[in-house]
Amino acid sequence: MGVFYEVLFLLVLGVIGIVLYLKHLYTFWEKKGVYVSSKPHIIFGNAKPLLTGKGAIRDLFKEVYDDCRRNSQKMSGFYFMMKPCLVLADLDLIKDIMSTDFEHFTDRIFHNHESDPLSDQIASAKGEKWKQLRSQLTPAFSIAKSKMMSQKVLAYTDKLIEELTHNYRDKTIIEISEVIEKYMIRLTEAAIFGMENDQIYGPTTEFEYYLKCFFNKSPLDLLIALLTFFNPSMLTYVRARSVRKDVGDYFLKLSADIIKFREENNIVRDDLIHLLIQLRNNVDINETSGQIRQESKIKPLLSSSQIAANCLIIAIADYETLASAISFCLYELALNPDVQERARREVVDVLALHNGDFCYDVVNELIYVEQCLKESLRKYSPSAAHSRECTKPYIIPNTDILLEPGTHVFVPTSGSHMDPNIFPDPERFDPERFSKENCAGRHPCAWTPFGFGPRMCIGMKYGMMKSKICVAKLLLNFEFSTNHLTEIPITVKPKAFITKSANGIRLDIRKID
Ligand code: HEM
């Protein structure tokens, strides 16, 4: 009996100790004098809805942002379980951290180490390594390259229209996000890996299967993702993988095979993998034209596995975001027939000025279509938040709050994008918000679907070009409208990394003859 009470006493003491320790951890921000928008849960901190799969990141961060604005706070402490992070709610402070004082926040919070070959890519690269990689990859997204790639985009969009026409000549309900996702994957396959497809529809290719598996995480993968957050160095120690083994193996082999085949057969192509092979072979490329300038003096950064890692992450960054952007834009155009008609009229008029030739200048002249896309990126930003890791001690301007290296900082896009003081009546879809006049006085960090500062999206112009071509050509050929299966308002998938509809986007399409 005595032993029983001793064990019980020790257990109770242990539990009390743990509870007190956790409570102590949750006073981190309080002690620094930083406001915390809601009381943290003892296990999950402020991330309970995310960790239990009940809420979407965009909703959670929007609540934090809104609460800060109501209470005149520029930021809120946030506990991701026990890890103290900071959520920003002030546009000037966002600008400072993402741009003016970028040197203190050069990194994102992803794992990046040579022991994990597929983690070694631009989106997770850190410090100097990132700077070099970014400047070496920039030519791949030059205006000249974009112009060249527009030919491929036009060709694939024509294939999409041909197949939609064939399958849906009469007014029919389609799940538009599925269709657009398939089209984007085919385009990515061709533009990045040089693998052309005759069909948009058709059976799932191996490439499509593995690309879509990128975000399908097993419980072990999820544990690894959590560890990245708490202790990235431990991941290096246990030689963990950031990408599922079968997905990683597929892309490593695919890239190695393409490189070998091209080098043995002296094949030159206009895709991204070709540019990366040139970088590996120490060729310096002109930033604006995308042309070879000379043998580079810089030591080549890329190994074969780094080529695979960069191609894979760019494929993901490319197809997922654009499929989301285009699908939500078509959804809003279906809900707003007047806007749809005005956008269609613009495409018809601009094309008429170019004698029906859908050249690159047409893309640049589609001002209203661009406004529609920007407005839909405001309402449904594919990325719910931008992340930065503090890399050098930083005192938040006009305060004595010191951020230590390793602090994670989040910028919620859903906060400012849906702030009625910045975008009045934020639920309303109104492309006029992005007219030249209406943008003129707006804070540069009010609308940041592509991020902000030196680390903003490298593919922004290229992505806008692709989405404009797709939306414009679809509008020329089809009319989109809602039906009894269209979800209004739409539910966003809680666990998705990129903003997606939870139940699909069902629209009527009708061919315009
Ligand atoms: C609607 C389309 C797109 C959206 C909304 C989008 C959004 C973003 C965002 C929010 C970031 C992080 C920015 C930051 O942290 O400040 C990012 C980074 C990045 N994006 Fe995009 N993106 C899009 C299209 C593309 C395309 C088409 C590509 C390439 C083909 C691309 C490649 C990348 C890469 C490589 C990065 C990492 C850049 C770095 O760390 O230096 N994105 N994107």
Side-chain angles (χ1 to χ4, degrees):
M1 206 57 175
V3 176
F4 173 76
Y5 281 115
E6 266 177 36
V7 171
L8 188 67
F9 175 72
L10 285 175
L11 267 178
V12 171
L13 210 65
V15 171
I16 293 174
I18 291 172
V19 170
L20 288 177
Y21 176 65
L22 289 177
K23 287 210 158 175
H24 162 75
L25 288 182
Y26 289 127
T27 57
F28 179 89
W29 288 119
E30 204 175 36
K31 282 194 236 139
K32 281 188 180 279
V34 174
Y35 173 78
V36 178
S37 75
S38 64
K39 197 168 176 277
H41 181 275
I42 190 110
I43 309 280
F44 300 114
N46 301 104
K48 190 173 174 196
L50 295 185
L51 293 165
T52 53
K54 294 209 172 98
I57 309 180
R58 70 199 294 263
D59 299 332
L60 179 66
F61 279 162
K62 184 178 178 312
E63 272 171 34
V64 178
Y65 175 96
D66 288 348
D67 178 78
C68 285
R69 301 309 301 165
R70 271 194 306 274
N71 292 290
S72 308
Q73 298 291 332
K74 293 184 171 185
M75 67 200 124
S76 167
F78 184 93
Y79 296 94
F80 193 95
M81 297 178 85
M82 292 111 219
K83 169 102 183 165
C85 314
L86 199 63
V87 175
L88 307 183
D90 176 79
L91 299 186
D92 288 336
L93 181 56
I94 292 173
K95 187 165 172 255
D96 285 339
I97 286 187
M98 295 184 91
S99 176
T100 320
D101 300 324
F102 178 73
E103 283 307 309
H104 295 255
F105 299 92
T106 51
D107 299 348
R108 290 210 186 83
I109 58 179
F110 304 132
H111 176 57
N112 174 272
H113 198 266
E114 279 154 21
S115 62
D116 174 15
L118 288 166
S119 76
D120 214 359
Q121 35 78 359
I122 180 169
S124 59
K126 307 204 181 257
E128 266 314 303
K129 191 172 176 186
W130 165 75
K131 264 190 202 160
Q132 270 198 356
L133 195 49
R134 173 95 185 194
S135 79
Q136 292 201 300
L137 285 179
T138 298
F141 302 96
S142 64
I143 293 176
K145 270 266 165 196
S146 196
K147 200 168 174 178
M148 199 167 82
M149 288 315 291
S150 66
Q151 295 308 313
K152 209 179 274 293
V153 181
L154 282 164
Y156 272 79
T157 314
D158 284 343
K159 273 188 212 185
L160 171 70
I161 286 161
E162 201 182 299
E163 291 181 27
L164 282 175
T165 307
H166 181 72
N167 294 333
Y168 303 110
R169 170 144 288 282
D170 302 320
K171 193 172 171 177
T172 326
I173 297 176
I174 64 166
E175 208 288 75
I176 196 73
S177 53
E178 228 171 63
V179 172
I180 298 296
E181 184 176 279
K182 195 117 179 150
Y183 150 81
M184 281 309 310
I185 291 178
R186 296 283 186 258
L187 196 42
T188 302
E189 205 171 347
I192 296 182
F193 292 90
M195 291 154 65
E196 304 284 350
N197 269 289
D198 292 336
Q199 279 182 306
I200 304 287
Y201 287 106
T204 305
T205 58
E206 241 190 328
F207 178 90
E208 183 181 348
Y209 170 79
Y210 284 112
L211 196 68
K212 284 168 90 169
C213 282
F214 184 87
F215 285 117
N216 293 351
K217 305 268 185 212
S218 68
L220 180 67
D221 294 327
L222 288 174
L223 186 72
I224 290 172
L226 264 183
L227 280 178
T228 310
F229 210 75
F230 286 106
N231 193 346
S233 51
M234 196 160 127
L235 287 178
T236 308
Y237 183 70
V238 298
R239 301 181 75 82
R241 277 187 301 265
S242 51
V243 176
R244 237 172 70 167
K245 184 171 177 344
D246 56 341
V247 177
D249 288 350
Y250 171 77
F251 281 100
L252 284 166
K253 181 167 182 327
L254 176 70
S255 303
D257 288 351
I258 295 176
I259 296 169
K260 186 166 177 278
F261 181 75
R262 290 200 184 175
E263 293 195 328
E264 281 176 2
N265 297 285
N266 245 333
I267 291 174
V268 174
R269 298 285 284 273
D270 60 359
D271 46 34
L272 184 82
I273 197 163
H274 178 70
L275 181 103
L276 298 187
I277 297 170
Q278 285 180 311
L279 287 179
R280 194 197 58 170
N281 295 346
N282 228 353
V283 171
D284 190 13
I285 296 154
N286 185 300
E287 295 229 342
T288 40
S289 68
Q291 297 302 307
I292 297 172
R293 202 158 42 196
Q294 61 185 61
E295 288 286 293
S296 171
K297 307 252 174 331
I298 312 168
K299 187 174 159 280
L301 270 179
L302 297 178
S303 63
S304 294
S305 65
Q306 284 166 325
I307 293 182
N310 280 289
C311 283
L312 173 57
I313 199 65
I314 293 173
I316 294 289
D318 181 353
Y319 106 85
E320 276 264 21
T321 50
L322 287 174
S324 159
I326 296 169
S327 306
F328 281 117
C329 184
L330 293 173
Y331 170 73
E332 284 291 348
L333 292 177
L335 286 178
N336 297 277
D338 298 352
V339 177
Q340 184 181 153
E341 197 39 49
R342 184 170 160 194
R344 180 173 297 111
R345 181 101 321 266
E346 180 188 60
V347 185
V348 171
D349 291 348
V350 171
L351 260 182
L353 291 175
H354 292 269
N355 302 320
D357 174 21
F358 209 121
C359 55
Y360 194 71
D361 288 342
V362 168
V363 182
N364 290 329
E365 288 167 31
L366 294 174
I367 309 294
Y368 192 68
V369 172
E370 182 165 319
Q371 286 177 216
C372 293
L373 280 157
K374 286 183 168 172
E375 172 65 343
S376 111
L377 284 168
R378 176 189 70 80
K379 276 192 82 176
Y380 313 95
S381 175
S383 160
H386 313 308
S387 71
R388 292 288 183 272
E389 182 170 334
C390 178
T391 43
K392 277 189 207 168
Y394 182 69
I395 297 187
I396 294 183
N398 309 318
T399 73
D400 53 4
I401 301 165
L402 171 72
L403 298 186
E404 312 282 356
T407 309
H408 293 171
V409 179
F410 292 101
V411 176
T413 45
S414 46
S416 59
H417 286 198
M418 299 304 279
D419 184 338
N421 294 312
I422 304 173
F423 298 103
D425 194 3
E427 289 297 339
R428 191 161 56 90
F429 182 77
D430 178 9
E432 276 310 307
R433 299 181 204 271
F434 291 93
S435 67
K436 209 171 169 190
E437 305 74 55
N438 288 336
C439 286
R442 196 173 290 144
H443 194 290
C445 289
W447 181 80
T448 60
F450 296 98
F452 192 72
R455 208 148 184 182
M456 78 181 293
C457 177
I458 200 172
M460 179 175 81
K461 289 203 181 95
Y462 176 58
M464 281 309 277
M465 174 274 284
K466 270 168 132 177
S467 17
K468 275 165 82 176
I469 290 181
C470 176
V471 170
K473 284 220 147 203
L474 284 175
L475 287 180
L476 269 183
N477 286 277
F478 300 99
E479 200 177 86
F480 296 89
S481 53
T482 55
N483 57 61
H484 64 287
L485 292 177
T486 314
E487 195 186 28
I488 309 170
I490 208 145
T491 318
V492 167
K493 204 170 178 176
K495 283 189 194 157
F497 189 70
I498 299 290
T499 305
K500 266 187 178 178
S501 65
N503 309 309
I505 303 179
R506 285 182 183 74
L507 300 179
D508 276 351
I509 67 164
R510 189 183 64 80
K511 177 82 180 130
I512 301 172
D513 291 314

